[in-house]
Amino acid sequence: VNNLHLLHPDQIELAKMLVDLGQSHLFQHWPEPGVEDEQKKAFFAQVAKLNSNYPGGLASYVKNARELLADSKEGKNPYDGFTPSVPTGEVLSFGDNNFIKFEEAGVKESQNAAFVLVAGGLGERLGYNGIKVALPAETTTGTCFLQLYIESILALQGASSRLSHATSPKVIPFVIMTSDDTHARTLDLLESNSYFGMKPTQVHLLKQEKVACLEDNDARLALDPHDKYKIQTKPHGHGDVHSLLYSSGLLNVCYHYVISLWHGNSIFDDVCVCSCPCLSLQIHLRDAGLRWVLFFQDTNGLLFKAIPASLGVSALKHYHVNSLAVQRKAKEAIGGITRLTHSDGRSMVINVEYNQLDPLLRATGHPDGDANCETGYSPFPGNINQLILELGPYIEELTKTGGAIKEFVNPKYKDASKTSFKSSTRLECMMQDYPKTLPPSARVGFTVIDTWLAYAPVKNNPEDAAKVPKGNPYHSATSGEMAIYRANSRILQKAGVQVEDPVKQVFNGQEVEVWPRITWKPRWGLTFAEIKSKVSGNCSISQRSTLGLKGRSILLQNLSLDGALIINTVDGAKVKVGGSIQNKGWMVESIDYKDTSIPEELRTRGFRMKKVEGLEETYNQPGEFSLKPC
Ligand code: UGB
């Protein structure tokens, strides 16, 4: 009370609110006025920020926390009353007619899409010190994840405009959610690489804020152990992306942005340009043609191989929500897509997180819990956290909820009495829980894609990856890179190229298949039909080969490759590559991950490319060319 005169009127309101919320311990220890006054003001600046960053403010946060902590203490299961069963969804098989049909529809639709990358996580499990999107997806070309994503979006943009013969191509907005841990470094990566070819205005960064920590079951906010004028904070989870998109008004910006890039648009002259994401905006967005928002995670180098077909599924099946899934090994650290049916008749298809699936199954008559079935996989498809939402229903829902997502709390208790915590906790939320608040009429579906084509995240450090049970995926930098070569090899095989079988090798204690190191720029081939159209005759590639296709119009015709071949072209240069190309090639050389003289991004994978001999050709003028050494 003595210190109140130091505060602005709105800060006094915040102080009163904290007292009403039972949080007076936060300033009980404060000395008399005149001592550390600046720190006191800074404290309220932080409170104001925490208050405005949470839907409903700190009052809602504390209320939600008390309820969730009480449920947790009682051992209440959020899935009480629900029976899990295996849902049905669209199961795709790479390269068949159905797949090709969906891919074509997806490419057409992609000009109506916006992409949202959640990249606020630090990747503690990976043990990498930089931001994860700066890691090379593969080391043959050294392309980092962010570059790969941007080039994939640009390739989709180009393919989509070509398909619709658009005179003025639409620009696909790209949103990146960052956090204090990743924001500056993400911006720096973009700026120092000229946004990897994207227009800076096409990229929107949204920074998520952390939430207040809780020190006990009464949801008393925790002070930072190193600063008594600061509330301790921790990340709230990727679920923040929905409230951030809502509160930023960015969907609105995207709308204006999209139409501003369109041709003179007189039909938009008389529409409301209110800056709040109101319901009328939904109509405008639809009119403007933006129809889909695609959410994706930071380190999956295969993802965009699955995007066209899955977006096609959303469009042709009219899904409001479409989750991408793959076959899942029991106990694999990815959620399971599950149908949950409540005894009161409610039913929904939702991700059940990996740590909850096993207890839920055991509690509902499956004594083996999360176990593989006769196929060798869990019957529940694995959620890869790639969500495709139809924009209209999404905005409608955000307008109702403010983007708030069902939260959970995971306190680590000191003992069985569950009265105190080992360390402070906080509420968390996940972006895939978005459908939990949707009405039963919502069209929620999922699409299962071949794992080898769609999913190879880089999440685990070498030690943890080496301990993964045999047969389960490592999800490491080693397996993530090798998966890219395997996917590209298998795609070319399907397109008619004879690609030699892989050999098995161990790197960082992980046995992986080493296929030829085949890479291409997304603009070389985004869909199976496009790739197939660029391969003809009898082509073959030996296991020890490296192939890098860095250009749009490179045609492989009767090529026999046994060595390394890299081709760079500008748009407008059409190059036919054929004949026999043989050289000593590039070798995959084992390295010791403990050798700190080697850069961390190489050590985490346990190998590097030794460029012994290769053929590299660059075509930087438009025209028709042929490369046929012998
Ligand atoms: N992320 C943020 O942007 N902000 C945050 O506060 C936290 C994370 P993890 P997780 O497909 O592989 C998810 O840590 O949460 C970003 C699904 O929940 O890599 O353990 C972060 O930068 C799970 O169901 O994953 O597990 C990253 O891009 C399963 O699908 C993303 O969120 C699994 O991913 C995911 O964060 C998977």
Side-chain angles (χ1 to χ4, degrees):
V1 173
N2 292 342
N3 285 293
L4 278 181
H5 67 280
L6 295 171
L7 308 178
H8 294 299
D10 47 348
Q11 291 180 325
I12 294 174
E13 286 309 309
L14 286 175
K16 282 188 191 152
M17 178 191 73
L18 286 176
V19 172
D20 291 347
L21 290 172
Q23 306 290 343
S24 40
H25 65 284
L26 293 171
F27 28 73
Q28 250 159 17
H29 58 281
W30 281 13
E32 65 279 12
V35 182
E36 297 174 340
D37 288 348
E38 286 313 306
Q39 287 97 314
K40 292 169 193 165
K41 287 183 199 162
F43 170 84
F44 273 102
Q46 186 201 13
V47 171
K49 197 167 161 191
L50 289 171
N51 192 46
S52 63
N53 283 332
Y54 187 82
L58 276 172
S60 288
Y61 185 72
V62 169
K63 178 173 169 285
N64 294 342
R66 283 188 181 138
E67 285 169 14
L68 287 166
L69 285 164
D71 287 353
S72 169
K73 186 168 182 236
E74 260 180 53
K76 210 163 157 185
N77 183 338
Y79 296 112
D80 260 356
F82 283 103
T83 307
S85 59
V86 179
T88 46
E90 194 63 40
V91 180
L92 301 184
S93 178
F94 174 75
D96 69 9
N97 289 342
N98 201 35
F99 186 89
I100 291 170
K101 173 189 81 182
F102 282 125
E103 272 201 327
E104 195 182 336
V107 171
K108 258 191 213 141
E109 278 301 321
S110 56
Q111 61 182 318
N112 304 323
F115 283 83
V116 181
L117 165 66
V118 289
L122 248 192
E124 286 93 346
R125 270 197 276 163
L126 182 60
Y128 175 62
N129 286 315
I131 50 167
K132 290 196 284 173
V133 289
L135 272 175
E138 39 78 15
T139 53
T140 294
T141 64
T143 305
C144 72
F145 283 105
L146 191 55
Q147 178 176 4
L148 178 65
Y149 296 150
I150 287 183
E151 289 180 347
S152 300
I153 293 170
L154 290 174
L156 261 176
Q157 193 175 291
S160 188
S161 320
R162 284 193 296 279
L163 212 62
S164 63
H165 307 290
T167 41
S168 48
K170 284 201 210 169
V171 170
I172 298 177
F174 179 36
V175 181
I176 307 175
M177 181 171 82
T178 58
S179 67
D180 274 327
D181 296 327
T182 62
H183 187 84
R185 284 179 285 178
T186 306
L187 191 58
D188 184 53
L189 181 66
L190 286 165
E191 285 178 345
S192 52
N193 290 284
S194 308
Y195 284 72
F196 298 109
M198 213 170 229
K199 290 194 183 93
T201 48
Q202 191 170 350
V203 185
H204 309 269
L205 262 57
L206 289 181
K207 184 158 77 72
Q208 67 175 140
E209 298 294 341
K210 292 181 178 163
V211 287
C213 290
L214 308 155
E215 64 182 22
D216 61 19
N217 283 329
D218 280 338
R220 279 156 50 101
L221 304 184
L223 283 171
D224 188 317
H226 308 294
D227 184 349
K228 63 180 179 181
Y229 290 103
K230 207 167 168 196
I231 294 172
Q232 193 184 15
T233 59
K234 285 188 182 168
H236 189 219
H238 36 71
D240 276 349
V241 71
H242 301 293
S243 61
L244 263 179
L245 271 176
Y246 175 74
S247 61
S248 69
L250 195 56
L251 294 174
N252 198 10
V253 172
C254 290
Y255 151 68
H256 292 298
Y257 180 63
V258 169
I259 60 169
S260 72
L261 290 164
W262 274 14
H263 41 93
N265 254 309
S266 57
I267 56 160
F268 294 111
D269 284 353
D270 57 352
V271 297
C272 150
V273 287
C274 58
S275 59
C276 65
C278 65
L279 206 59
S280 61
L281 177 67
Q282 176 199 337
I283 299 154
H284 302 162
L285 284 164
R286 280 213 195 112
D287 290 349
L290 199 59
R291 197 177 155 203
W292 307 103
V293 194
L294 292 92
F295 295 85
F296 65 108
Q297 301 195 154
D298 49 16
T299 57
N300 181 7
L302 298 183
L303 180 73
F304 275 83
K305 296 184 191 299
I307 291 285
S310 345
L311 182 54
V313 170
S314 278
L316 298 180
K317 299 268 163 184
H318 308 288
Y319 282 159
H320 295 171
V321 177
N322 183 9
S323 301
L324 266 63
V326 294
Q327 276 193 318
R328 173 180 182 277
K329 282 277 183 188
K331 315 244 171 7
E332 194 180 330
I334 64 175
I337 308 266
T338 310
R339 172 167 291 286
L340 292 177
T341 310
H342 200 272
S343 44
D344 65 11
R346 276 177 292 150
S347 175
M348 59 181 162
V349 175
I350 195 84
N351 171 68
V352 176
E353 207 55 348
Y354 42 90
N355 53 341
Q356 290 179 314
L357 188 59
D358 187 76
L360 174 64
L361 288 166
R362 284 177 199 277
T364 50
H366 306 269
D368 296 337
D370 182 12
N372 291 325
C373 61
E374 60 288 350
T375 59
Y377 290 92
S378 156
F380 297 93
N383 164 47
I384 64 169
N385 241 16
Q386 158 73 50
L387 306 175
I388 305 178
L389 305 186
E390 188 174 354
L391 191 63
Y394 180 51
I395 292 180
E396 213 162 47
E397 181 65 9
L398 291 189
T399 311
K400 283 189 224 144
T401 62
I405 295 299
K406 286 248 181 259
E407 294 164 301
F408 60 96
V409 70
N410 191 11
K412 306 277 178 291
Y413 297 108
K414 268 194 185 145
D415 56 40
S417 70
K418 293 188 172 180
T419 46
S420 49
F421 307 158
K422 282 186 190 156
S423 58
S424 66
T425 188
R426 84 290 195 181
L427 300 191
E428 294 177 73
C429 61
M430 298 187 293
M431 70 171 170
Q432 66 270 34
D433 279 344
Y434 163 76
K436 282 189 173 167
T437 54
L438 292 178
S441 57
R443 293 179 59 88
V444 182
F446 65 92
T447 305
V448 181
I449 312 255
D450 304 276
T451 313
W452 64 264
L453 181 75
Y455 187 58
V458 175
K459 295 193 176 213
N460 290 328
N461 61 54
E463 280 95 351
D464 290 346
K467 285 186 224 143
V468 164
K470 201 165 168 45
N472 276 23
Y474 300 117
H475 293 174
S476 65
T478 314
S479 60
E481 174 159 355
M482 288 301 166
I484 292 176
Y485 305 136
R486 178 181 58 195
N488 289 344
S489 296
R490 291 184 67 170
I491 292 170
L492 286 192
Q493 276 181 334
K494 187 90 184 165
V497 178
Q498 283 176 43
V499 179
E500 197 181 354
D501 284 343
V503 297
K504 289 204 168 147
Q505 271 184 273
V506 176
F507 302 107
N508 283 354
Q510 302 153 55
E511 187 182 73
V512 286
E513 284 183 354
V514 183
W515 289 77
R517 275 66 64 206
I518 299 172
T519 60
W520 56 74
K521 288 277 180 198
R523 68 178 188 280
W524 183 74
L526 207 64
T527 60
F528 181 54
E530 190 179 18
I531 291 165
K532 225 173 146 189
S533 73
K534 291 179 177 174
V535 173
S536 62
N538 287 325
C539 291
S540 64
I541 300 174
S542 68
Q543 186 278 333
R544 60 176 208 90
S545 291
T546 298
L547 176 64
L549 302 173
K550 301 180 177 180
R552 190 149 82 80
S553 302
I554 304 170
L555 311 176
L556 307 183
Q557 209 171 56
N558 298 318
L559 169 71
S560 161
L561 178 64
D562 183 31
L565 171 66
I566 308 288
I567 301 180
N568 307 287
T569 68
V570 290
D571 273 3
K574 192 170 172 184
V575 185
K576 273 192 191 151
V577 184
S580 167
I581 296 176
Q582 202 168 21
N583 52 51
K584 291 188 184 132
W586 297 5
M587 283 157 60
V588 186
E589 185 181 64
S590 227
I591 52 176
D592 176 5
Y593 78 89
K594 291 194 183 123
D595 180 350
T596 50
S597 68
I598 301 171
E600 199 178 17
E601 56 272 24
L602 292 180
R603 276 191 282 136
T604 51
R605 57 202 78 215
F607 59 82
R608 67 177 153 208
M609 300 302 166
K610 189 172 171 197
K611 300 180 182 179
V612 183
E613 189 190 16
L615 176 65
E616 176 153 8
E617 293 288 326
T618 299
Y619 300 85
N620 46 23
Q621 296 297 326
E624 298 215 353
F625 306 91
S626 169
L627 174 69
K628 207 170 178 184
C630 59

